[in-house]
Amino acid sequence: METRNSIRPPGPVVIDIENITKDYVMGEEVVRALRGVNLKIHRNEYIAIMGPSGSGKSTLMNMLGCLDTPTSGRYEFNGKNVAEMDDDELAAVRNREIGFVFQTFNLLPRSTSLRNVELPLIYAGIQPERRVERATQVLTDVGLGDRIHHKPNELSGGQRQRVAIARALVNGPSIILADEPTGNLDSKTGEEIMELLEDLYRRGNTIILVTHERDIAAHARRTVHLRDGLIEMDHAGFIAELDMPVATQTSA
Amino acid sequence: MKRLLYELSESWKIAAAQMRSNLTRSTLTALGVIIGIIAVTLMGTAVNGISIGFDKSMAVLGDDVLYVTQWPWKPVDDWWNYRDRKKIKTDYTETLNRMIAATPNSNLVIAVPTSNLMRSIKYGGNQVDNVFVLGTTSDFIVIGLFSWDSMVAMPLGAFNKYFSAKSDSDVRVKVKDKTRLADAKDELTGLMRRVRGLPPEKKDDFSINEQQAFKSTLDPVKNSIAIAGLFITGLSLFVGAIGIMNITFVSVKERTKEIGTRKALGARRRTILLQFLIESTALCLLGGFIGLAFAYLMCFGIGKAFPSFPIHFSVGLVFLSMIVSILTGLFSGFAPAWTASRLDPVAALRYE
């Protein structure tokens, strides 16, 4: 059994970000949300991105999730240059390579768990029988095999987040991008969700956790701290980091 | 291609779910389209009815007959040139028939006079208008009735004996081959000029009419009634379309976060565009069906209550109104759907 302290060799690079910047124009003012961020994320890493509000944490997450493109810099996702993709190409990357888990779950309220989880498969053009089969499988994997025909308002918060995680997993993505996944849950349920993420990590998934809670970030094997649009610290928590200076997990 | 199909079927399901969950709103919005479709369909049936009525009246005139009259069958500006023309006399027919018989290979068959001798009868307090009065004596025996708009046919001799004195009549000439109407017309013009004894330098002092001329005068009238009617009723449909557009904009606004989520999950612009287009189209189609059903019932009712009212429901009209509904849906959904498809996923996800 693997422990939290075991050291694993890193897999191939999934995300390779070099010197990206992002400027927003707010009225007359230009807000420099990211001022040159470098980041490499390998397959089967469990990384937490932390930082106070205004640190550029959300902006970086949007970049990583291919929801937005950088103003300058290079972003390679599985060796493909994402920075210059158009809307539809980005949509295809999000569909196949990225599984989103949101703080507010973002389930479609009038659809059953099954239909919610089917959605990415529809956008991927999978045929109906395969979709139901696959979605049922993934829902069973996250412990909701008996809730597939329930609608979100018939589920508890923890169950809703499980549906959302199943939806994130259903297309077999390269990364799971979880934005404050426990933010709307009580601590006990939150802990259950973190256990589920831990379990997914152990099964070989790459997980990127965006949070401002230290307790939650502590689940990750590596923590990146952002401040004022720059990476302030990149600790290799419990996994050997090769190309970044190693710091200790003492202060942020 | 397959993917598009799945997206389409998904969009229809969403549209149906949306309508069910916003029942009041959907019904009220569809009401605009329902009223619009009823108005347009009823106008359509009326236009159809008028057109059929025209053709029916025209058929009575016959398309193989030429009409010699004092006045032409088309509106004239220089009416004074026609007013003083000599009347057409009943006995012209005898002369004409003799001439026709004497012409080898004539395009004409026979000429008969017709006369408008309608009267109103009063008997005590009762009055009947537009009756053909055969006379107050019993010189005529009515041998049969046939449905020919208020007309009486009788032997020429009898006509001359009893009515020629009042004869301010028209002459109808039957043509042998209606594909050679123009030749027949030329021939008849020649014969009439001989009857009237006109020297070559004088203009015709009579008019020769045919059904076609009549029709070509009436067609523009009929068409402008149709266009004006459909345009005015189309306005009510336009108002309905604006209602749909409005509600689709509201729907896009309400579901901004959902749009963001869908985009995050891999929905492309096209997917979102189609989804909202299908929602507005589904609403319009629903309205169209209901409107059409009402219109059909109303036509049926009117047809039963007033059989003479010119109203005619056709299958073509059903297809037409369905196509109009779909077009209305696409038209009214396009702007909101376009807005939705262009939403920035980041901003949409953050929208509360």
Side-chain angles (χ1 to χ4, degrees), chain B residues 308-325:
Chain B
S308 61
F309 199 79
I311 202 156
H312 189 84
F313 202 86
S314 68
V315 181
L317 214 58
V318 174
F319 281 109
L320 191 72
S321 59
M322 284 299 108
I323 289 168
V324 168
S325 302

Side-chain angles (χ1 to χ4, degrees), chain B residues 149-164:
Chain B
D149 288 352
S150 333
M151 279 202 219
V152 172
M154 66 176 71
L156 192 55
F159 182 82
N160 283 337
K161 184 177 168 199
Y162 288 93
F163 300 103
S164 64

Side-chain angles (χ1 to χ4, degrees), chain A residues 192-207:
Chain A
E192 283 168 20
I193 291 299
M194 292 318 291
E195 273 167 36
L196 177 59
L197 289 178
E198 177 72 28
D199 187 41
L200 295 176
Y201 164 64
R202 288 184 184 207
R203 283 194 252 159
N205 288 290
T206 311
I207 296 174

